[in-house]
Amino acid sequence: MSTGPAQNTRENRFLTRRIGPLFISTAFPMAIVMSTGGLLNVIDGIFVGRFASAEALAAVSLAFPIIMLMTALTTLAGGGMSSVLARHLGAGSDREAGTVFAGAHGLVLALSAVLIAIAVTAGPAVLSALAGGYTIVAELAQNYLLILILGAPVQFFLGLHADALRNEGRATQIAMLSVVVNLLNIGANYLAIVLLGLGVVGSALGTVVAQTLGLTMVLVLRARDSDLLPLRALWNNSWLMGWRQIITLGLPLCLTFVGMAFVASTVILVIGSTTADHATYVAAYGAVTRVLGLAFLPQMAIALSTQSITGNNAGAGRMDRANAALRLSMGSAFLWCLSITLAGVFASETLGGLFSHNPTVVEAVGTILRPMTALYSITGPVLVLALHYQALGHPGRTAALTLAKSWLIQPALLIILGKVSGIEYLWFAFPVADAVMLVIALSLFLTINETKSSAEEVA
């Protein structure tokens, strides 16, 4: 039985380095990690759209909500664990950190079993409904997803270990491993899709093989680095401990990705009820989701870096450093997202041309992308603020900033605009939702600051 925290004596760089260099050394490698994964998705979409068929591109677009659900489950365990783990590491409590790390592994196994069971029993019916009667597209999507879902335990464990290493200050090593694995994945997908003609099945197989290789490399890194939590922590602690705390803190971030899946499903269903050209707009929307998925990942890297810095410094009682990192992160996220807005305005058809030779699909990409990115610069700073609150152990504040848009505002606007204005103006639901989120974020931030000021005056 533990009688108190096991203290370590090694230096914690999150507590000692200057905030500017610390932020760069954490965020830049994480941006490389996540961007190479997003770039892989874009290239994979190009391979499928250009060398398989428009139906194949529509199939992977149809699968996007399920892919986001898998990402959501990855963040449920990894994101929730990170909030607790970073604070234990900041306080020097390695024993408690090891307990949380082991418990997250048990949670991952349980999530994998539930996902596979649901996919086998309900998956075909869900895909058939999303396909709107296009049997070929539904069958292709089913083959694609079956392979990915059977490989879900590998994806979940890889995400868990990557999050742990990030909070242990090993972002650079994760970046190097990620680049190698994703380059191998791109090569495997080219071989399977372009040369062997396996289409969406080849895409899924390449992804699972690359994730397996990545997990192996991460485990070797942990086994060889004595400054990391040892692998024996997994065997010396129960895998059933700490699930409730991990789920509570990880749920807002998880539901953010589930909300993305919900929004994507709503878009696909509204397209089916709004235009007869269903396949064209689903394919175009699939191309847009891959582009914006790539755009989203660097801002997520900035937010996750904020989470690590805030968590470690909050655990050590250094909120001055945590707040300085927050300001720097929000400014960086704004500049990145502003560049995406400019790309959406001036290069939407060029981006669409990467995915398809069909001029109708290319034109539809422009119709979708320009309004969707009009106020995109708001999204990054709001996400950073949400992860800052999550690292401090405030799931309610995190939920307010991450769930309102995808679970309420965007779906409602999509349904209303789909009925009132048709396919051309459907996409204005996204900038309107971004504007509403700016109001919510400012209101929450000002309210919390006023509460703090009142408490300080009373004290």
Side-chain angles (χ1 to χ4, degrees):
M1 179 181 294
S2 174
T3 58
Q7 305 294 324
N8 69 64
T9 57
R10 64 178 181 270
E11 178 188 14
N12 186 333
R13 67 189 68 184
F14 287 107
L15 309 179
T16 57
R17 295 193 67 181
R18 290 189 297 116
I19 290 297
L22 174 63
F23 171 75
I24 293 172
S25 66
T26 306
F28 185 69
M30 286 304 302
I32 293 176
V33 170
M34 306 194 79
S35 296
T36 52
L39 183 61
L40 167 64
N41 288 331
V42 170
I43 294 174
D44 184 58
I46 293 172
F47 287 165
V48 170
R50 284 179 167 264
F51 297 102
S53 64
E55 289 80 9
L57 181 59
V60 296
S61 304
L62 196 70
F64 177 74
I66 313 300
I67 300 300
M68 293 309 299
L69 176 61
M70 295 174 65
T71 303
L73 294 176
T74 303
T75 60
L76 175 63
M81 177 199 70
S82 292
S83 177
V84 186
L85 185 70
R87 279 177 277 148
H88 283 319
L89 293 173
S93 305
D94 279 5
R95 181 179 300 158
E96 285 72 12
T99 300
V100 172
F101 192 38
H105 280 71
L107 179 58
V108 157
L109 280 182
L111 293 174
S112 300
V114 171
L115 178 63
I116 292 172
I118 293 175
V120 171
T121 56
V126 172
L127 290 174
S128 178
L130 288 175
Y134 287 82
T135 305
I136 295 177
V137 173
E139 290 178 352
L140 289 172
Q142 184 175 344
N143 294 335
Y144 175 70
L145 284 171
L146 180 62
I147 297 171
L148 292 180
I149 290 174
L150 291 176
V154 176
Q155 175 184 327
F156 293 167
F157 279 127
L158 178 59
L160 200 64
H161 279 264
D163 281 325
L165 288 169
R166 167 172 56 85
N167 286 291
E168 293 170 289
R170 295 297 187 274
T172 300
Q173 288 89 330
I174 288 293
M176 291 187 292
L177 291 175
S178 176
V179 169
V180 171
V181 170
N182 281 297
L183 287 176
L184 291 174
N185 198 348
I186 291 171
N189 285 3
Y190 180 82
L191 175 65
I193 298 171
V194 180
L195 299 182
L196 298 181
L198 296 179
V200 295
V201 171
S203 171
L205 288 173
T207 298
V208 173
V209 169
Q211 289 173 346
T212 303
L213 177 60
L215 178 59
T216 302
M217 297 170 72
V218 164
L219 291 174
V220 170
L221 172 62
R222 182 168 295 281
R224 291 183 175 181
D225 193 333
S226 60
D227 285 336
L228 300 175
L229 290 173
L231 288 174
R232 67 175 178 272
L234 300 179
W235 325 128
N236 294 339
N237 293 283
S238 171
W239 284 30
L240 302 177
M241 296 289 291
W243 288 18
R244 181 176 180 180
Q245 187 178 30
I246 292 172
I247 291 172
T248 300
L249 291 169
L251 198 58
L253 187 57
C254 166
L255 290 177
T256 300
F257 286 97
V258 177
M260 291 179 184
F262 180 51
V263 169
S265 300
T266 303
V267 169
I268 292 171
L269 292 173
V270 171
I271 288 174
S273 63
T274 306
T275 177
D277 201 1
H278 181 273
T280 294
Y281 274 94
V282 170
Y285 179 64
V288 170
T289 57
R290 288 179 180 256
V291 171
L292 292 184
L294 174 60
F296 174 76
L297 293 173
Q299 60 176 293
M300 176 58 80
I302 294 172
L304 290 173
S305 300
T306 306
Q307 181 194 56
S308 296
I309 297 172
T310 295
N312 274 273
N313 282 281
R318 293 297 309 274
M319 284 305 300
D320 56 325
R321 289 174 55 83
N323 290 330
L326 174 64
R327 292 190 293 270
L328 180 58
S329 299
M330 292 183 71
S332 301
F334 172 78
L335 292 176
W336 167 255
C337 292
L338 180 61
S339 71
I340 303 305
T341 296
L342 296 175
V345 171
F346 296 108
S348 55
E349 278 82 6
T350 301
L351 293 171
L354 296 175
F355 291 89
S356 178
H357 296 293
N358 188 326
T360 306
V361 173
V362 173
E363 182 181 358
V365 169
T367 300
I368 296 170
L369 190 58
R370 277 190 291 271
M372 280 186 71
T373 56
L375 293 179
Y376 195 78
S377 57
I378 294 171
T379 62
V382 171
L383 180 64
V384 168
L385 184 61
L387 268 289
H388 172 77
Y389 288 139
Q390 194 261 5
L392 294 176
H394 300 303
R397 299 175 189 175
T398 308
L401 294 174
T402 56
L403 303 184
K405 181 170 76 170
S406 57
W407 283 98
L408 178 62
I409 301 169
Q410 280 181 340
L413 288 170
L414 285 166
I415 293 171
I416 293 170
L417 289 176
K419 290 183 177 297
V420 173
S421 61
I423 194 71
E424 185 175 355
Y425 295 99
L426 175 67
W427 317 105
F428 285 89
F430 293 89
V432 173
D434 289 332
V436 174
M437 286 309 303
L438 176 62
V439 174
I440 293 174
L442 288 174
S443 300
L444 180 62
F445 183 76
L446 293 175
T447 300
I448 291 172
N449 281 351
E450 288 176 2
T451 302
K452 287 181 178 178
S453 298
S454 300
E456 289 173 359
E457 288 177 3
V458 171

